[in-house]
Amino acid sequence: MGTRLFTVLPFFLLLGFWTSLGAQQQDWTSLHSEVLGLSVDVKIYGAGSNRSEKPIVYLTDGRKLLDNGAMDTILNLTRKGIIPEAIYVLVSTIERVSQKDLRNQFFFCNPDYLRFFETELIPFVEAKHGSLRSPSERGLVGISFGGLNAAYFSAKTNLFGNYALLSPVTYPCKGVIADISFSAGKDLKILLSTGKNDAERYVDELEKTYRSKGHILSTIETNGQHDFENWNGQWKHVLGFLLTK
């Protein structure tokens, strides 16, 4: 079920400017998507020098991650040399004008959201940062319902070779387990995480399914709940696994 990347199309509306805050970062850029029929905000960290040599990690729920301190933790781990350098692409679910959160629309096994990544987002981002990466140089991280989205992507596209599903919640898309079972993808690196006090418990079924496919798998359980305090304590393990060859 692999899919192909297509040529960058000339319908992006680009807004934003470059700033420097320790690591180079891009201010929120609004990408108008013909596929989705709306604009999606994107923010990029860690370009700097040797940008064509760095892997790229895409993180959905980007604005929430930023507002809740995830990038502070990630950049601090990078500065200390605890995790390898990478380019991070925060993909927001918040519509800029209305401030409506579109995460359910995007994340519940939406083929249009996948096509947005394939034909619009990834070609735009990676053309700006050296060249198109191979799947092994590209990762996707999702939390909660974003973990469902990552699971769906892992079954439906060959765009990514590396996935992290943090406290994934899969019930809104019951067919995703079957989709993974019948997928053609091979040798993916997949990290599954949860918290000991997380009320949402969907990791076990995903773990069994991914193991049956022969993927490279890591699972972690930390002392926490279904919240950013727990997830922010997992970045060392998550990104250490995704970014280490």
Side-chain angles (χ1 to χ4, degrees):
M1 295 189 183
T3 51
R4 298 176 57 192
L5 289 172
F6 296 88
T7 304
V8 182
L9 300 176
F11 41 68
F12 291 111
L13 175 63
L14 306 181
L15 303 172
F17 54 89
W18 289 98
T19 60
S20 178
L21 296 174
Q24 283 192 353
Q25 101 184 40
Q26 182 181 1
D27 197 18
W28 288 105
T29 297
S30 182
L31 301 183
H32 179 71
S33 168
E34 292 288 335
V35 172
L36 296 171
L38 49 82
S39 295
V40 177
D41 279 357
V42 178
K43 193 179 188 76
I44 301 171
Y45 281 81
S49 61
N50 300 320
R51 61 185 181 178
S52 64
E53 299 176 8
K54 295 179 182 177
I56 298 183
V57 180
Y58 292 79
L59 302 102
T60 53
D61 270 319
R63 194 173 291 276
K64 293 189 184 75
L65 287 168
L66 185 63
D67 291 346
N68 286 277
M71 284 311 305
D72 292 337
T73 301
I74 291 170
L75 293 177
N76 187 47
L77 290 169
T78 304
R79 281 192 294 267
K80 292 180 177 179
I82 296 172
I83 59 174
E85 290 189 359
I87 294 172
Y88 295 95
V89 181
L90 303 185
V91 187
S92 180
T93 62
I94 308 297
E95 202 280 323
R96 182 177 291 207
V97 176
S98 69
Q99 292 297 295
K100 182 179 180 181
D101 191 346
L102 303 173
R103 71 194 306 265
N104 292 2
Q105 176 182 329
F106 289 166
F107 292 165
F108 290 4
C109 297
N110 184 343
D112 287 339
Y113 193 56
L114 175 55
R115 196 152 60 92
F116 162 66
F117 270 75
E118 291 173 338
T119 65
E120 298 178 344
L121 177 63
I122 286 176
F124 165 71
V125 168
E126 297 185 12
K128 291 286 187 181
H129 295 88
S131 61
L132 286 174
R133 302 311 198 268
S134 67
S136 66
E137 299 171 310
R138 191 183 291 134
L140 180 66
V141 179
I143 59 173
S144 192
F145 287 150
L148 166 59
N149 177 74
Y152 176 71
F153 277 28
S154 75
K156 294 293 186 177
T157 184
N158 60 5
L159 281 175
F160 299 94
N162 308 283
Y163 290 91
L165 286 61
L166 278 57
S167 299
V169 178
T170 59
Y171 73 83
C173 185
K174 297 186 185 304
V176 72
I177 298 298
D179 287 339
I180 295 169
S181 296
F182 290 101
S183 65
K186 297 180 182 297
D187 300 324
L188 301 178
K189 286 180 67 176
I190 299 170
L191 182 138
L192 301 170
S193 85
T194 188
K196 291 182 178 179
N197 298 309
D198 194 332
E200 306 288 353
R201 310 296 290 185
Y202 297 90
V203 165
D204 289 348
E205 186 176 24
L206 282 165
E207 180 180 1
K208 291 175 184 177
T209 306
Y210 282 129
R211 287 199 188 281
S212 74
K213 299 292 292 183
H215 297 313
I216 302 166
L217 200 65
S218 177
T219 60
I220 58 173
E221 183 178 59
T222 48
N223 291 315
Q225 303 181 62
H226 199 83
D227 55 29
F228 279 97
E229 182 178 359
N230 185 45
W231 298 321
N232 283 344
Q234 296 177 346
W235 290 118
K236 173 182 174 182
H237 304 282
V238 170
L239 297 170
F241 175 75
L242 293 190
L243 297 173
T244 301
K245 294 183 179 180

